[in-house]
């Protein structure tokens, strides 16, 4: 297996053991020579990212708290509405539960005729 030196590379008699093309090497050298961010710049950017993430987290928490307040208020409003509308006696509520609808849409009373209930009706 003979190996030829890459174009422009000096022939020093050694075998070129790289698996990358000369174009890749040129791009890699160019990338390494490009100016990079200093450690202080990097730390500053990281701190800015952390501040931004903290701000977003705070906003999210505020939204969640507001949502929970709204849900609690809606629940309380619905409970109060239900308490206000349930003015009937206990027997009336139990009796209302046994109403059934007719085929024509009307409401008819249906009373159990047998041992279905707990108490006897006189």
């Amino acid at each position: 297996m003979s190996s030829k030196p890459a174009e422009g590379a000096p022939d020093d008699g050694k075998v070129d053991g790289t698996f990358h093309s000369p174009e890749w090497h040129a791009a890699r050298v160019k990338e390494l020579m490009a100016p990079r961010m200093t450690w202080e710049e990097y730390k500053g950017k990281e701190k800015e990212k952390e501040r931004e993430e903290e701000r977003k987290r705070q906003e999210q928490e505020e939204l969640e708290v507001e949502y929970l307040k709204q849900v609690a208020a809606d629940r309380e409003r619905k409970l109060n509405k239900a308490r206000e509308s349930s003015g009937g006696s206990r027997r009336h509520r139990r009796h209302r539960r046994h109403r059934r609808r007719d085929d024509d849409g009307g409401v008819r009373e249906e009373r159990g005729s047998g041992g279905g209930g707990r108490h006897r009706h006189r």
Side-chain angles (χ1 to χ4, degrees), residues 6-30:
E7 280 186 41
D11 186 10
D12 56 2
K14 296 182 181 178
V15 175
D16 184 14
T18 62
F19 296 104
H20 298 291
S21 68
E23 293 84 16
W24 182 89
H25 284 287
R28 176 75 175 141
V29 168
K30 184 178 176 183

Side-chain angles (χ1 to χ4, degrees), residues 2-112:
S2 68
S3 116
K4 297 180 183 175
E7 280 186 41
D11 186 10
D12 56 2
K14 296 182 181 178
V15 175
D16 184 14
T18 62
F19 296 104
H20 298 291
S21 68
E23 293 84 16
W24 182 89
H25 284 287
R28 176 75 175 141
V29 168
K30 184 178 176 183
E31 177 187 323
L32 290 173
M33 297 302 288
R36 295 186 342 183
M37 176 183 329
T38 66
W39 177 246
E40 287 75 26
E41 290 171 339
Y42 173 78
K43 286 193 301 188
K45 280 191 172 186
E46 286 300 308
K47 283 190 179 196
E48 185 61 34
K49 281 182 189 177
E50 287 175 8
R51 276 187 240 125
E52 183 67 22
E53 288 173 3
E54 180 65 23
R55 186 187 62 77
K56 286 181 181 179
R57 189 181 62 75
Q58 287 288 343
E59 284 180 3
Q60 184 65 29
E61 283 182 10
E62 289 171 4
L63 289 174
E64 288 174 6
V65 166
E66 184 64 32
Y67 173 75
L68 291 175
K69 284 181 183 177
Q70 180 183 357
V71 167
D74 288 347
R75 179 179 181 273
E76 192 62 34
R77 181 180 48 82
K78 288 178 182 179
L79 285 174
N80 286 337
K81 184 178 177 183
R83 286 184 196 127
E84 291 171 4
S85 69
S86 66
S89 68
R90 183 171 185 186
R91 180 165 185 242
H92 180 68
R93 284 185 306 218
R94 184 172 48 91
H95 182 67
R96 189 174 28 184
R97 196 174 25 191
H98 295 289
R99 288 186 182 172
R100 300 261 166 95
R101 295 219 174 257
D102 284 338
D103 294 333
D104 61 345
V107 177
R108 65 183 162 97
E109 294 291 324
E110 209 175 88
R111 297 192 104 161

